Amino acid sequence: MSSFGWEAELGVGGDIWGPFGYSVRFRVSRFQDTFSGAGTKLGWDEGGVAAETYSSLHWGITASY
């Protein structure tokens, strides 16, 4: 079995007024597992692959004092 994964995040933030601000972030993650050898499905030369991708958007209001 072998595994591979990565994650990236991009965000911005700034001031609105006085001590208040904002924050917005986008995140994407990708994971992949490759299976081979005993116990894999018959007829699959390389075993099998399972992959998942997740994405999310986070936003919020911030306060600094």
Side-chain angles (χ1 to χ4, degrees):
M1 182 175 130
S2 65
S3 298
F4 176 79
W6 59 267
E7 180 174 277
E9 184 173 335
L10 177 66
V12 295
D15 296 330
I16 296 174
W17 172 77
F20 299 105
Y22 67 93
S23 173
V24 179
R25 295 180 301 163
F26 176 74
R27 180 183 297 169
V28 62
S29 304
R30 172 91 173 146
F31 304 99
Q32 181 173 323
D33 297 323
T34 304
F35 305 94
S36 60
T40 59
K41 188 172 182 176
L42 292 176
W44 289 7
D45 294 335
E46 295 300 320
V49 175
E52 300 172 359
T53 302
Y54 301 98
S55 61
S56 59
L57 181 65
H58 303 267
W59 62 272
I61 301 295
T62 61
S64 300
Y65 57 92

